[in-house]
Every structure is written in structure tokens, then in C-alpha cells.
Amino acid sequence: MIMRRSLRLRSITMIMLMAVLVWSITLETCIARRGRHWRHNHRSSSDLSDSLSSTKPKSHSHHSHHSSHNNNHNHHHKSKPKPKPKLKTPPKSDHNNSPVVSRPPKIQPPSLPPPKGSKVFNVMDFGAKGDGKCDDTKAFEAAWAAACKVEASMMIIPPEYTFLVGPISFSGPYCQANIVFQLDGTIIAPTDSKSWGKGLMWWIDFTKLKGIKVQGKGVIDGRGSGWWQQDYPFIDGETKLIVPLNNSVHQNTPMPIRSELDWKMPSIKPTALRFYGSVGVEVSGITIQNSPQCHLKFDNCVDVLVHDMVVSSPGDSPNTDGIHLQNTRDVLIHSTTLACGDDCISIQTGCSNVYVHNINCGPGHGISIGSLGKDSTKACVSNITVRDVAMHNTMTGVRIKTWQGGVGSVKGILFSNIQLNEVQLPIVIDQFYCDHTTCKNQTSAVAVEGVTYEKIKGTYTVKPVHFACSDNFPCVDVQLSGIELKPVQERYHMYDPFCWQTFGELNTPTHPPIDCLQIGKPARNRVQSDHDVC
């Protein structure tokens, strides 16, 4: 009896152990299935984003696996079964039996803007083609709109591309500071008249910005020959001083007519690159060439730095100043090569604290202060230094030019260590400047005082010095030292130094002698009214 009870207990115990074992195995399987289903349906947000943006075809096996999990899920929760997804055709194989995966179609930004927090904005990411034929203006505008919002951002114009860009303004004042315009490609201007309407004063414009920097190894090409031929020939105010040996009017070579120009261009010609109302501007490394008019202009700017750049246009391209300063102060320009058809650097009214050094100038019309006082306006220029400059084959060297009838003053000017090679008129002050056939004689003038010329050396082909000052407002405190200028006979009549109403000092002997300079100060000098004084 006892044996039977013992066997019965053992049997019951075995049955219970087997039941527990079967139950644990079943529970583990369910948990595993449940966990696999959770992982499948709770992917990371980045995986989800990738799957939404990707357009690559998926393989057959992947869809089968996905369908299997969905079936398990529906069976487990007894929900209404979903229709099975259509299976995509497997990708074709190449001759090596390797699957050929098709690339997703290229999506043109701004549909895909740069990642949040990015500081680099490449115009190619905003739809620019860079083939020199399609208009990339809108892509440049979109890239700037993005860069404008980010402090110290960089807008990239990549190398080995040519971008056709119409008139465009990169403007503030609500842009962030210290934006870099990285120019390594080439930007070309349109040559059809329709792009310019009735005429614009600028092509590429940066307005009301702080800390803007334009840099790189790229090119801004104004393709200006179509504009030049409408202005040809161009007459500078000093042209009247240059008389050919045969006493005939100097004949210029006709301007070439470019085949791509189908219409007459507007009479108003644009500056290639202009900065207006900006603080902390830097331009370096780039080349600006063939501008319709001025190449690089600064208007109403403060704290300007220009260095290691190039301006390049033919010597007979009209009104193509290299660098033009107007109402701008605290300027440093150095280590730059300027070749153009007008002034390499022109310094206009409202400029002060300008320092220019280590410049190569030519061809062109030298470095000029002015012209000032046109149409009886007030002009004020002060504290200008130009030194360590090499000039070759220019019309003038260092020049101050003012119109009759103007008011104001030019003072505190230093021209130092200027090396000249076959320059027609090395040293000029002209208070009777006139770029018309005739100009009306007037008594008022922009006063010129405190001008120093030192170490001006080299060769000239017409006249070494031309000082033509006003009877009512003579030039005063003109200092000369270390002047060594030798004549080189070319095809022009040559003249001795000329002075009219010019007072100052000869601090060293000069070659040739400049005996026409009146030593000291004028006995009687008209005083400007308070309204006319700067």
C-alpha cells in the first residue's frame, strides 16, 4: 500500500514538472515574438527619415520578411487583415550577376536646404548650374538668403564653374555679421540689353552689411566691351595737355564689336562690384575684369581693407576705374595690381584716412584725388597717403583734379616713393579740370593745401609737372623733395614743368628744376565762407 502511494506521488510530481517546463518554453517564445515585433515597429526617427527620403528600390526578400511580420502581428491581435503590399520587381543584374541598384533622382535644393546649424552655403546646393548659359541669379539669391541668417556663415561659389548672374543685391541691414563670400569660380554678366532694363548703376551689390568679406581665387567678368564702344572715344580732362608730334588729333584704335552683342546697351553703365553703407569690408584674392564702368566701388563705407587682388581691363576701355572710393573713411589698400582704362584708384569727396601702398598701376590714368566739385558741389578730402607704387605706361601719375565752381578742400596729402616708367604726366594738380569740350570759367574752387611729393622717380613722355591752380584759391603748402624725372621721347611734344598760382617749398633740388613753384605763401588769399569750409 505504501509502495502504491509512493509511486502515485512520484507520477503526480513528474506530471507537474513536465507541465511547468512546457509552460516556460511557451512563455519564452511569446516574449521573443513580441520583442521582435516591437523592434520592427519602433524604429528610430533617423531610420524613418532615411526611408522617407530614399527612393532606392527594395529587394523582394525584404518585402517578404516585412509581410511576414505584419501577418504575425495581425494574427496576434485578431485585427482586420491588411492587404498585402505589392512586391516590386527585383533590380536587374549586370553581366557579373551583381544587382544594379538605381540611384535616387537628384533633388534640386532649396527642397533640401543645408542641415540646421550649418554655416556653409554652396550655390550648387540651391540650384545653380554653373554652365555659363543658364541664369543662376535665383540660386545666388537663395543661397544668400540662407547665409544671411547665420553669423559668420560662408557662401561658396565653387571653382571650375562659370555662373551667369544678372544684376543682384546682397543686402542687409538685417543680415548677421561677418559673412564670407567665398568666390573661387567665375561669375559673368549678361550681355543682352534686356537684363539691364533702362540701365543700372551697379551689377553686384553688397549693401548695409557688417564684417562682409569677399575672398577667393575666382573671377568677376563684366564682359563690358559692348558698353565701351558706345562711349568711344573717351576724353579725360588732361587729354588736352597731350599733343602728338604731328599736331593731329590722336587717333585711337576702334573698339572691337563682340559678336554676342545683339542690342544696344543702356546709356547708364554699371559698376561691376559695389559696397554701400557697410562697415568692416574686406576684398582679397579675386580678379575683376572687363567691367562696363568702374570695377570696384566703395560708397559710404567705414573700415575697408583691399589686398592681393587684380583689376584687368584694356587701357582704352572708357571710364573703367580700378578702385573708386566715395564718402568712405579708414581705408587700407595694398599689394594689388590694377590695369584699366581710367584711374587705377580714384578718391572722391567725403574720403578721409586712406592709406594706399604696394600697388602696381598700368595701363590707366594713375592714382587720382577727384574729380571734385563738379556742378558747384562741396567736396572734402583729407589725410590721404599713397606710397610705394609702381606705374607704367599711364597717362598721369599722382593727380589732384577739381572743377571750377566747387567749394570745400583737399588737405593732408602725401605721395611718396612712386616709381614711374614712361608716364605722360607724372605730377598733376589741375583746378581747371574739364572733361567736356569747353567749361565755364568760375571764381570759386575747391581749396588745395598741404600736399607733399617725395621720392617721385622715373621717366615721362610729355611733361614732368603740371600745377594749374585757381587765381582766387591758390594751391598752398606744396612740398617737393627727391623728384627725379627723366624725359623719354616718344610720339608727343614735350614740355617743361608748369606752375600757376602754386605756393610751397623745394626741400631738395629736383630734376628737372621746378623753378616755377612760388616759395612761401600767397600775399593775398581769399577765405572760404563758413558754409564752404569742410
Side-chain angles (χ1 to χ4, degrees):
M1 187 75 177
I2 294 173
M3 288 292 292
R4 286 181 179 177
R5 288 181 179 177
S6 175
L7 289 170
R8 189 179 300 171
L9 287 172
R10 287 180 181 177
S11 298
I12 292 171
T13 301
M14 288 294 294
I15 291 169
M16 291 180 65
L17 287 172
M18 290 178 67
V20 169
L21 180 62
V22 170
W23 178 82
S24 64
I25 293 172
T26 303
L27 178 63
E28 189 176 73
T29 302
C30 290
I31 291 173
R33 286 180 177 177
R34 184 180 178 186
R36 187 164 64 247
H37 174 75
W38 186 91
R39 288 192 299 271
H40 181 77
N41 288 281
H42 291 78
R43 291 179 296 173
S44 67
S45 60
S46 62
D47 291 339
L48 181 61
S49 175
D50 290 343
S51 67
L52 289 174
S53 62
S54 174
T55 58
K56 293 183 179 180
K58 296 178 175 59
S59 67
H60 179 80
S61 61
H62 178 77
H63 277 281
S64 300
H65 181 70
H66 181 72
S67 177
S68 173
H69 281 302
N70 280 343
N71 289 338
N72 289 340
H73 173 72
N74 293 336
H75 177 75
H76 183 75
H77 291 283
K78 296 181 181 181
S79 58
K80 186 177 180 180
K82 295 182 180 178
K84 294 183 178 180
K86 294 181 180 180
L87 299 179
K88 294 186 177 181
T89 305
K92 297 179 180 179
S93 300
D94 60 12
H95 62 278
N96 294 321
N97 293 323
S98 300
V100 177
V101 181
S102 62
R103 294 184 178 181
K106 186 176 181 181
I107 301 175
Q108 292 288 349
S111 299
L112 292 177
K116 187 176 181 181
S118 173
K119 289 189 175 185
V120 177
F121 303 89
N122 190 321
V123 293
M124 303 300 287
D125 296 331
F126 291 83
K129 301 297 184 183
D131 60 3
K133 298 177 181 179
C134 296
D135 188 347
D136 288 325
T137 306
K138 290 185 178 180
F140 273 60
E141 289 173 341
W144 175 260
C148 170
K149 299 173 184 177
V150 182
E151 184 176 359
S153 62
M154 178 178 286
M155 179 172 164
I156 293 180
I157 296 82
E160 300 180 4
Y161 290 93
T162 298
F163 302 91
L164 175 62
V165 178
I168 188 169
S169 180
F170 303 109
S171 60
Y174 303 110
C175 287
Q176 296 297 313
N178 304 320
I179 298 175
V180 176
F181 189 89
Q182 183 69 35
L183 173 59
D184 291 309
T186 298
I187 302 175
I188 60 175
T191 56
D192 62 290
S193 60
K194 184 179 178 181
S195 298
W196 303 98
K198 294 182 179 180
L200 295 171
M201 299 298 293
W202 45 260
W203 168 31
I204 300 172
D205 186 51
F206 290 87
T207 299
K208 296 182 180 178
L209 298 167
K210 184 176 181 181
I212 180 67
K213 182 184 291 186
V214 175
Q215 65 180 28
K217 298 179 181 179
V219 176
I220 295 175
D221 188 349
R223 301 203 288 179
S225 62
W227 308 80
W228 303 335
Q229 64 179 351
Q230 297 175 187
D231 248 1
Y232 206 74
F234 168 64
I235 299 175
D236 186 284
E238 262 57 75
T239 305
K240 61 184 181 291
L241 303 176
I242 302 167
V243 181
L245 288 173
N246 59 7
N247 289 323
S248 64
V249 178
H250 182 58
Q251 297 294 323
N252 294 292
T253 304
M255 292 296 296
I257 299 177
R258 300 286 291 276
S259 59
E260 70 265 23
L261 300 171
D262 298 325
W263 300 277
K264 183 178 180 180
M265 305 303 281
S267 59
I268 300 174
K269 299 180 293 297
T271 288
L273 177 59
R274 184 187 81 147
F275 294 85
Y276 176 81
S278 298
V279 178
V281 181
E282 181 175 348
V283 179
S284 66
I286 67 171
T287 295
I288 308 176
Q289 65 189 31
N290 301 324
S291 177
Q293 196 173 45
C294 180
H295 287 78
L296 175 59
K297 179 182 288 187
F298 298 93
D299 189 358
N300 252 312
C301 293
V302 178
D303 188 15
V304 172
L305 173 60
V306 178
H307 63 96
D308 298 287
M309 67 160 293
V310 173
V311 164
S312 178
S313 285
D316 55 1
S317 55
N319 275 314
T320 54
D321 291 35
I323 301 175
H324 183 97
L325 305 176
Q326 181 173 320
N327 297 311
T328 294
R329 58 184 174 85
D330 304 330
V331 179
L332 174 59
I333 303 172
H334 70 89
S335 308
T336 291
T337 298
L338 306 169
C340 56
D342 207 331
D343 298 323
C344 291
I345 300 175
S346 62
I347 302 170
Q348 301 288 328
T349 184
C351 292
S352 62
N353 302 331
V354 177
Y355 191 93
V356 176
H357 71 95
N358 291 97
I359 302 295
N360 287 316
C361 169
H365 292 188
I367 295 178
S368 297
I369 296 174
S371 61
L372 305 173
K374 187 176 183 179
D375 299 325
S376 301
T377 56
K378 183 177 181 178
C380 299
V381 176
S382 63
N383 195 18
I384 311 295
T385 296
V386 176
R387 68 184 313 145
D388 306 328
V389 175
M391 296 187 183
H392 49 92
N393 299 110
T394 59
M395 190 186 76
T396 60
V398 288
R399 171 170 60 163
I400 299 172
K401 48 182 178 177
T402 70
W403 291 75
Q404 295 183 74
V407 296
S409 65
V410 177
K411 58 184 178 181
I413 312 299
L414 171 63
F415 297 112
S416 176
N417 193 27
I418 312 296
Q419 302 295 321
L420 308 166
N421 180 27
E422 297 188 13
V423 172
Q424 293 173 333
L425 303 162
I427 299 174
V428 175
I429 297 177
D430 186 1
Q431 286 188 296
F432 299 91
Y433 184 80
C434 174
D435 62 4
H436 310 314
T437 305
T438 58
C439 289
K440 181 182 177 181
N441 287 326
Q442 300 182 62
T443 57
S444 62
V446 177
V448 177
E449 59 179 299
V451 183
T452 299
Y453 301 90
E454 63 179 27
K455 299 179 183 177
I456 315 293
K457 301 179 180 181
T459 59
Y460 67 94
T461 61
V462 176
K463 183 189 297 185
V465 174
H466 181 82
F467 291 146
C469 298
S470 167
D471 291 318
N472 291 311
F473 295 93
C475 301
V476 297
D477 194 20
V478 175
Q479 306 288 324
L480 298 173
S481 63
I483 309 299
E484 298 179 13
L485 299 171
K486 298 178 181 180
V488 173
Q489 182 68 63
E490 285 193 342
R491 57 183 183 273
Y492 307 108
H493 285 284
M494 303 190 74
Y495 303 92
D496 294 332
F498 172 84
C499 310
W500 181 260
Q501 293 296 319
T502 310
F503 295 82
E505 300 289 338
L506 291 172
N507 296 315
T508 65
T510 63
H511 182 84
I514 307 174
D515 299 330
C516 59
L517 180 71
Q518 300 185 57
I519 306 302
K521 295 184 178 181
R524 187 169 53 88
N525 194 12
R526 185 172 176 178
V527 179
Q528 290 183 329
S529 66
D530 292 339
H531 175 73
D532 298 337
V533 173
C534 292

